[in-house]
């Protein structure tokens, strides 16, 4: 099951309900097995994205039981500032955290209501896990983290956002930026600061699900390449056995 660009576009379309990925998800269910990850995050908007990411690891030879996409399988990972945190896709094999992914979205019309929440969630999750790794809670290999984000494309996310009056001036770079612009900057900084090893940032909508990739370095091609590079690295170390 080679992961293709078409798989990616189909997964984005399925996120919006524009079309169903019955064939793709059926393949994942058959591969992973009924009663475990066979129910790929049933009923959730990110089912298709979770299935898409699972395909990378199934194709690389990781056994189904190593790929976790439902809470019943155990998506919680140790933290440092809290006992544990639920991630969205977790791959653990022979005691090694192969990869963990956060899958998030932001929709309108009131983009501002959850914009800061999404920023704080992504930062908190990464900082907590990275610090836990320094404390020795993830032995053998340094954890690799991925962030997949879908911004609803529309006038509200493309228009410049007013800067609120505050006690001190905001960095000039934020003036005149839209929510799409701001999240592009945020996601790029997540990678630059090595909080996440790979980020895929997409703008899309129910009316036009074809993905827009606002930042070249955060597009699907780079995201998939980072996952494949991780798989190649671990393969050279004998994983999966």
């Amino acid at each position: 099951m080679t992961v293709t660009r078409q798989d990616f576009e189909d997964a984005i379309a399925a996120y919006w309900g524009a079309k169903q990925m019955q064939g793709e998800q059926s393949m994942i269910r058959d591969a992973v097995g009924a009663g475990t990850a066979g129910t790929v995050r049933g009923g959730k908007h990110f089912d298709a994205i979770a299935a898409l990411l699972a395909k990378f690891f199934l194709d690389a030879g990781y056994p189904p039981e190593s790929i976790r996409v439902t809470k019943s399988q155990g998506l919680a990972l140790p933290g440092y500032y809290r006992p544990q945190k639920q991630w969205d896709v977790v791959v653990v094999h022979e005691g090694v955290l192969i990869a963990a992914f956060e899958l998030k979205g932001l929709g309108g019309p009131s983009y501002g209501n959850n914009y800061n929440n999404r920023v704080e969630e992504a930062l908190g999750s990464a900082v907590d896990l990275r610090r836990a790794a320094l404390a020795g809670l993830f032995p053998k290999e340094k954890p690799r983290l991925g962030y997949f984000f879908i911004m609803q494309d529309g006038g509200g996310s493309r228009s410049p956002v007013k800067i609120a009056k505050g006690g001190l001036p905001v960095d000039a770079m934020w003036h005149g930026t839209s929510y799409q612009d701001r999240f592009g900057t945020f996601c790029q900084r997540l990678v630059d600061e090595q909080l996440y090893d790979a980020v895929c940032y997409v703008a899309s909508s129910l009316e036009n699900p074809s993905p827009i990739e606002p930042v070249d370095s955060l597009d699907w091609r780079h995201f998939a390449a980072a996952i494949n590079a991780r798989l190649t690295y671990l393969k050279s170390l004998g994983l999966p056995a």
Side-chain angles (χ1 to χ4, degrees):
M1 293 190 295
T2 301
V3 182
T4 67
R5 172 78 189 190
Q6 189 61 54
D7 291 331
F8 162 63
E9 295 188 4
D10 287 347
I12 298 297
Y15 171 86
W16 294 111
K19 63 180 178 180
Q20 300 296 318
M21 273 187 68
Q22 294 177 350
E24 291 287 350
Q25 295 207 26
S26 176
M27 289 174 64
I28 299 299
R29 291 189 182 98
D30 291 344
V32 178
T36 57
T39 305
V40 184
R41 295 171 54 88
K44 303 292 178 63
H45 287 169
F46 277 101
D47 282 4
I49 307 299
L52 179 73
L53 298 178
K55 286 179 66 176
F56 280 98
F57 300 94
L58 289 169
D59 189 40
Y62 285 87
E65 58 270 20
S66 295
I67 305 166
R68 307 176 182 197
V69 292
T70 64
K71 286 185 179 180
S72 63
Q73 294 174 287
L75 291 170
L77 292 174
Y80 182 79
Y81 300 100
R82 53 189 166 183
Q84 54 187 182
K85 189 266 176 189
Q86 297 274 348
W87 290 71
D88 294 303
V89 177
V90 172
V91 183
V92 176
H93 185 68
E94 296 183 356
V96 177
L97 177 59
I98 304 300
F101 297 91
E102 281 272 86
L103 314 177
K104 298 295 182 184
L106 181 63
S110 300
Y111 293 90
N113 287 349
N114 286 313
Y115 167 73
N116 282 335
N117 290 341
R118 293 294 175 267
V119 170
E120 290 162 10
E121 289 165 357
L123 286 172
S125 296
V127 169
D128 194 25
L129 190 142
R130 294 295 188 197
R131 186 61 184 84
L134 290 175
L137 297 177
F138 297 95
K140 299 183 181 179
E141 292 295 327
K142 180 182 177 181
R144 302 287 287 184
L145 306 181
Y147 188 62
F148 195 106
F149 190 84
I150 302 177
M151 171 77 74
Q152 183 178 345
D153 184 44
S157 65
R158 287 189 243 109
S159 302
V161 183
K162 182 180 179 180
I163 297 289
K165 184 178 180 179
L168 290 169
V170 171
D171 189 329
M173 65 159 293
W174 296 109
H175 287 274
T177 57
S178 66
Y179 283 116
Q180 287 195 27
D181 297 330
R182 292 179 180 188
F183 231 90
T185 298
F186 169 63
C187 288
Q188 184 62 64
R189 289 180 172 182
L190 288 177
V191 176
D192 291 345
E193 297 291 331
Q194 299 181 357
L195 290 170
Y196 289 85
D197 300 288
V199 173
C200 185
Y201 170 46
V202 173
S204 181
S205 67
L206 176 62
E207 297 74 21
N208 184 15
S210 182
I212 300 165
E213 295 158 292
V215 182
D216 288 345
S217 60
L218 305 174
D219 64 8
W220 170 251
R221 188 168 60 96
H222 285 80
F223 188 72
I227 296 174
N228 285 323
R230 171 67 167 172
L231 292 170
T232 299
Y233 166 79
L234 291 171
K235 184 178 180 180
S236 69
L237 298 177
L239 289 171

